[in-house]
Amino acid sequence: GAVVSQHPSWVICKSGTSVKIECRSLDFQATTMFWYRQFPKQSLMLMATSNEGSKATYEQGVEKDKFLINHASLTLSTLTVTSAHPEDSSFYICSASRDNRINSPLHFGNGTRLTVT
Amino acid sequence: EDQVTQSPEALRLQEGESSSLNCSYTVSGLRGLFWYRQDPGKGPEFLFTLYSAGEEKEKERLKATLTKKESFLHITAPKPEDSATYLCAVQAAGGTSYGKLTFGQGTILTVHP
């Protein structure tokens, strides 16, 4: 069954507005979660690492003020796309490792399709 | 820079026609190589992890193998429900984030009945 749950599965918003995406780990605690982005016909790219109780770590080229990450509990991380623009339209996917260990497989949520009009 | 190249980009098979997907990689110290299956509009579903050259893993009609430069995903007697995009990803040793996987572009597999 699903290991990581993501909501909403799709969202359409107007340019300039903000959108929040939730990622929950099911039946396990995730001290760390990872946010990926996938553009059409392209590979998944890591955007940021979400750490419970501390600041997120962003990959090079990802604007931390635009993509706000909050990891308020051991089972929930949120990604807020602020002042969204059409170029932010993408497929956002969160992931977590069931045992939070290096080289353990990441389990991915079902993604959120964001369309900014 | 870590790189993953998958081939072919797309593969069309008849039901029962076995084949292999290739994943070539360049990484500064391999911590793990991962295979995922992704259905349209869904997140990747974990299939296998391989850690060292010579390792093999099997699950139903799928078998993954690993050498020092590439990995193969062998599909034996595929069924239409095996149709999906298969993604290969590597995790480098010493990375800043253990969740940082470098993904290939994927192979789109279509199995016709």
Side-chain angles (χ1 to χ4, degrees), chain A residues 94-115:
Chain A
C94 68
S95 65
S97 169
R98 185 181 277 279
D99 55 14
N100 293 302
R101 289 191 303 165
I102 290 174
N103 80 9
S104 291
L106 291 184
H107 296 278
F108 288 83
N110 268 331
T112 297
R113 172 74 59 191
L114 170 63
T115 302

Side-chain angles (χ1 to χ4, degrees), chain A residues 42-71:
Chain A
Q42 292 189 27
S43 299
L44 282 80
M45 296 287 290
L46 178 66
M47 298 174 63
T49 300
S50 173
N51 302 298
E52 189 269 335
S54 64
K55 291 183 179 180
T57 305
Y58 292 83
E59 294 299 302
Q60 191 172 12
V62 178
E63 300 176 59
K64 61 181 180 180
D65 294 331
K66 181 167 195 55
F67 299 100
L68 300 180
I69 291 174
N70 184 278
H71 196 145

Side-chain angles (χ1 to χ4, degrees), chain B residues 2-3 5-6 9 13 28 30-31 34 42 52 63-64 72 79-82 91 94 96 103 111-113:
Chain B
D2 303 331
Q3 286 192 328
T5 303
Q6 291 187 246
E9 290 186 13
L13 299 174
S28 53
L30 180 69
R31 178 168 281 152
F34 304 85
K42 302 290 186 182
S52 57
K63 178 180 178 180
F72 291 93
K79 297 182 178 181
E81 53 262 41
D82 294 323
Q91 184 184 58
T96 55
F103 279 86
V111 182
H112 296 283

Side-chain angles (χ1 to χ4, degrees), chain B residues 4-88:
Chain B
V4 178
T5 303
Q6 291 187 246
S7 62
E9 290 186 13
L11 180 63
R12 302 170 78 90
L13 299 174
Q14 287 297 128
E15 184 172 3
E17 180 186 0
S18 302
S19 188
S20 296
L21 312 182
N22 177 264
C23 170
S24 298
Y25 64 91
T26 304
V27 64
S28 53
L30 180 69
R31 178 168 281 152
L33 184 141
F34 304 85
W35 281 98
Y36 288 87
R37 167 192 171 129
Q38 186 174 26
D39 292 302
K42 302 290 186 182
E45 175 189 347
F46 170 71
L47 294 174
F48 302 109
T49 309
L50 301 167
Y51 297 107
S52 57
E55 190 174 359
E56 298 182 354
K57 294 272 181 75
E58 281 190 71
K59 179 181 179 181
E60 296 180 354
R61 296 178 292 282
L62 300 177
K63 178 180 178 180
T65 62
L66 180 66
T67 73
K68 288 187 177 180
K69 294 183 179 180
E70 57 191 351
S71 176
F72 291 93
L73 184 66
H74 307 277
I75 302 178
T76 303
K79 297 182 178 181
E81 53 262 41
D82 294 323
S83 298
T85 297
Y86 290 85
L87 300 171
C88 172

